[in-house]
Amino acid sequence: MPKSTYRAGITGLGVAVPDKVLTNLDLQQMVDTSDEWIRTRTGIKERRIAGPDQAASDLAVDAAGEALKNAGLRPESVDLIIVATNTPDMLMPATACMVQDRLGAANAGAFDLLAGCTGFLYALSVGHQYIASGTFETVLIIGAETLSKIINWKDRNTCVLFGDGAGAAVLERVPDNRGILSTRLGSDGSGGKHLKVPAGGSRLPASEATIQENLHYVTMNGREVFRFAVRAMGEGAMEVISMAGLTPEDINFFIPHQANIRIIETAARRVGINMNRVLVNVDRFGNTSTASIPIALYEAVKQKKIKDGQNIIMVGFGAGLTWAGLAVKWYQKQ
Ligand code: UT7
């Protein structure tokens, strides 16, 4: 990585999840599945589902407000807002602009970033560059999803996996011996066909026919995505660890994208990190896509598991196909 002028670190975190809990037992009433199948194949027990009037921006604004409060900042001091989402409120304008308006972040630029479930790590790495170069002092990164709105609730292959939620992180300059140590972004567009929403874009605009054929919902080849995920997460983690000049033994906490406990366990084993150093909440939230890593990070910081000076690795994968890794030496803002 080129030498940076400033170090960027996370100085505040926030989370918002809908109140409604959907359990595996509830899903048993909806599709041909079982609590036992879902738990053993994915590790998920329950997930949160947005209400009919709750969109991605609503969760994003709540999470962002808490993150700014925890960083001790006013909305006016934000220079840039990036919302990573697969479920924007609308195709246009960007959800980030709705968030900017509702927060009252009068001095911020705002855009959305689409990189599948890896979006939050992609957005963190973009924000990192702005701070490292000295262009901006405060960047707000948000992963916000209401995947429940684009899931086919009759398709057991996908409807048991996802949940709704948002996580936000404030990036600021931190002391030279803290902050983001290394980042790595990867993609393999040839695998894009394995996880997509076929209709509603310029290739296949929404029509009566696309709706009848359920083409406005998520379609997924789970086995192919699984194969990609274990390889990408394992290799991604190893790369950012070595780019940061660390070894797996130096890592205090490993925060993988929360899609499936079997993917998480396999990736951790490949990297050589014991599960007692891996943060897991897929059991309570399912796969919240871009929100999964910030929610896990938020919980660990709130519970004071993560402490100043510790080495944290975050790794994700998702539609694209994309993957990313990021190593950070934790900075605890007082
Ligand atoms: O953020 C990225 C999002 N995507 C992912 O992370 C997905 C990654 N992939 C996975 O997590 C796993 O592949 C799944 C959890 C999706 C599936 O697990 P699997 O062990 O790979 O199962 P499978 O696809 O090999 O399917 C096994 C069987 C199939 O039946 P047949 O064809 O063998 O008779 C499925 O039809 O399980 C069946 N099945 C289900 N059965 C009960 C699929 N979904 C369900 C279900 N309940 N919900």
Side-chain angles (χ1 to χ4, degrees):
M1 209 163 66
K3 181 156 175 43
S4 40
T5 318
Y6 299 102
R7 291 299 277 276
I10 295 171
T11 56
L13 289 159
V15 155
V17 293
D19 294 334
K20 182 179 158 66
V21 175
L22 186 74
T23 66
N24 292 349
L25 298 178
D26 296 329
L27 278 161
Q28 278 183 194
Q29 314 298 316
M30 297 161 63
V31 284
D32 180 17
T33 191
S34 67
D35 173 51
E36 205 259 334
W37 191 96
I38 302 171
R39 268 190 297 105
T40 53
R41 298 292 179 111
T42 72
I44 301 168
K45 293 179 186 152
E46 58 184 44
R47 69 287 288 142
R48 301 299 181 99
I49 302 294
D53 298 327
Q54 210 167 21
S57 69
D58 300 320
L59 297 170
V61 167
D62 288 350
E66 185 186 9
L68 286 172
K69 190 164 158 255
N70 286 335
L73 294 174
R74 294 170 56 78
E76 294 81 7
S77 56
V78 177
D79 298 309
L80 177 67
I81 300 171
I82 311 176
V83 174
T85 184
N86 299 279
T87 50
D89 286 27
M90 304 174 193
L91 271 181
M92 61 181 262
T95 300
C97 294
M98 301 171 194
V99 174
Q100 178 273 332
D101 179 44
R102 283 173 57 191
L103 284 177
N107 302 307
F111 64 87
D112 286 1
L113 187 153
L114 180 60
C117 299
T118 324
F120 183 77
L121 293 183
Y122 264 67
L124 266 189
S125 87
V126 174
H128 168 231
Q129 295 303 321
Y130 278 112
I131 305 251
S133 65
T135 310
F136 293 140
E137 290 188 8
T138 308
V139 180
L140 180 57
I141 308 291
I142 307 164
E145 300 289 1
T146 48
L147 276 153
S148 64
K149 314 264 183 178
I150 59 164
I151 293 297
N152 180 353
W153 287 99
K154 295 192 172 113
D155 176 12
R156 70 175 184 176
N157 290 295
T158 51
C159 77
V160 303
L161 302 176
F162 298 100
D164 299 334
V170 175
L171 279 179
E172 289 183 274
R173 291 178 188 171
V174 296
D176 279 350
N177 58 354
R178 295 286 184 276
I180 294 172
L181 304 171
S182 60
T183 59
R184 173 80 164 93
L185 307 181
S187 68
D188 177 7
S190 71
K193 55 185 177 282
H194 298 315
L195 181 51
K196 62 182 179 179
V197 179
S202 60
R203 176 70 61 198
L204 210 52
S207 68
E208 273 180 41
T210 60
I211 288 177
Q212 265 161 24
E213 290 168 45
N214 289 326
L215 298 176
H216 55 298
Y217 290 131
V218 170
T219 65
M220 184 177 72
N221 180 335
R223 276 178 220 185
E224 287 297 334
V225 177
F226 192 103
R227 224 191 309 269
F228 171 79
V230 289
R231 197 187 69 239
M233 298 253 279
E235 287 173 14
M238 302 285 260
E239 268 191 73
V240 285
I241 290 171
S242 97
M243 284 162 75
L246 301 170
T247 66
E249 293 73 49
D250 300 322
I251 305 308
N252 299 97
F253 289 103
F254 178 55
I255 313 182
H257 169 45
Q258 309 282 312
N260 183 319
I261 191 66
R262 292 188 293 143
I263 296 174
I264 293 172
E265 285 171 351
T266 310
R269 196 165 50 242
R270 286 190 181 189
V271 185
I273 293 183
N274 190 286
M275 282 304 287
N276 61 15
R277 286 185 283 154
V278 181
L279 300 185
V280 176
N281 65 21
V282 68
D283 51 330
R284 288 176 290 124
F285 296 112
N287 178 349
T288 56
S289 188
T290 59
S292 91
I293 288 178
I295 293 175
L297 180 62
Y298 170 94
E299 292 189 322
V301 170
K302 194 158 194 194
Q303 292 160 10
K304 297 195 166 35
K305 272 192 199 169
I306 292 181
K307 299 186 182 72
D308 188 67
Q310 288 188 327
N311 297 315
I312 318 292
I313 299 295
M314 304 178 216
V315 198
F317 67 93
L321 298 169
T322 58
W323 60 271
L326 187 144
V328 58
K329 191 173 275 292
W330 193 252
Y331 172 69
Q332 192 60 51
K333 190 173 181 179
Q334 296 310 316

